[in-house]
Amino acid sequence: MKTSTALKLLAAIILMIAVILGTKKGGLTRAASEKTDFAMGTVVNVKIYGIGNTDEQAAKAIRSIKRLDQTISWRKDSDLANLNSSYEVGKKNEIDKDLYEAISKAYEICKASDGALDITIRPLANLWNIEEASNEDFKVPTEDEIKEVLQDVGYDNIIIEEDGVIIKKEGMIIDLGSVGKGYALDIVKKQLDRDKVGGANVSVGGSILVYGRKPTKENWRVGIRNPKGTVDDYIGFVSIEPNKTTFISTSGDYEKYIEKDGKKYHHILNPKTGVCAESEYASVSIICDNGLVSDGLSTACFILGYEKSLPLLEKYNASAIFIDKNNEVKIVGDVKFFSK
């Protein structure tokens, strides 16, 4: 056997062994790994497709979300909680870069939506306590109680400066619950870019990221929940082309609510009126290229309704799926939605 032929045969054998080992270890061949955990107050699911150690890539995505949880969430030891408990009124408060980015981007949506989204709504949410109360101990706030608390709500009492924020009024509380899950997906997307991951499907509660492509190269399918059904009941799905990184977030009156004396009270509060947002729609799903934006717009557009949402959607180049109380669907923008 000639030397060149022998060398080629040896190289082929080495490559075959490497492929076999890679398949077992997730190291060199295309593989899929899935991990589920709890962070940001909800279930987190990460599925990674790609060449490399997909198990480690999925674990890294979970870790990045948990680190962010320690920064921007409502937990007592977070950077955001520290800001809320120790800020100096009228002075610049320097904060972590991730917290700064989340607050500043969310603030822009507050302005663009004329306060339909308001990151200072926490005092009002605490008054209603829909997220924590039971049907038995829930109490509808009085008009006077709402009026008093609304004095501590207003995003325009915050000034965004380089690397920090100025809070102009005592009693303000910044709450990023309306954008945090989407922003977590933005953080994951940056990691997937750095690691050159082939494809991923990541969900943080009602916010979803599809990234890259599946090994089959077929379109991604993201289910949209039926507002009248159970958590696993879908009214249809969005079809997304491979390699088109897309974020989808949904806000609905079915997510967190309490029924009292025959009336339903849901967790999406209108910062202007101080009561549960009155809408002809049961849910709004936003589809765009940024997680924080998709999350924030889903809340803002639910409160604004279809017509008033159109300029906001155009500004952010976002598409939307509005589902009304009768499960009728309205589509805004270039989105491929297929009814079930």
Side-chain angles (χ1 to χ4, degrees), residues 25 29 54 69 76-77 201 207 253 330 333:
K25 297 180 181 179
T29 58
T54 52
D69 196 7
K76 292 180 179 179
D77 59 345
N201 184 351
S207 293
D253 63 8
K330 274 190 175 181

Side-chain angles (χ1 to χ4, degrees), residues 251-292:
S251 290
D253 63 8
Y254 55 82
E255 296 174 306
K256 299 172 187 175
Y257 66 90
I258 286 178
E259 293 182 339
K260 189 78 170 182
D261 299 327
K263 187 171 181 179
K264 180 178 177 180
Y265 299 91
H266 59 78
H267 76 295
I268 305 176
L269 302 173
N270 187 326
K272 299 287 183 66
T273 64
V275 300
C276 304
E278 295 183 5
S279 174
E280 63 182 297
Y281 295 96
S283 76
V284 179
S285 299
I286 303 296
I287 303 97
C288 66
D289 61 1
N290 182 275
L292 184 148

Side-chain angles (χ1 to χ4, degrees), residues 22-38:
T23 302
K24 291 180 179 179
K25 297 180 181 179
L28 295 174
T29 58
R30 185 165 288 278
S33 294
E34 184 171 10
K35 292 187 181 297
T36 301
D37 212 313
F38 189 86

Side-chain angles (χ1 to χ4, degrees), residues 157-186:
N157 285 300
I158 297 174
I159 298 174
I160 307 296
E161 293 212 339
E162 187 175 355
D163 299 326
V165 297
I166 295 174
I167 300 174
K168 299 190 294 183
K169 189 172 179 288
E170 194 73 47
M172 306 298 296
I173 303 175
I174 297 176
D175 182 357
L176 297 173
S178 57
V179 298
K181 297 175 182 64
Y183 185 58
L185 295 177
D186 290 329

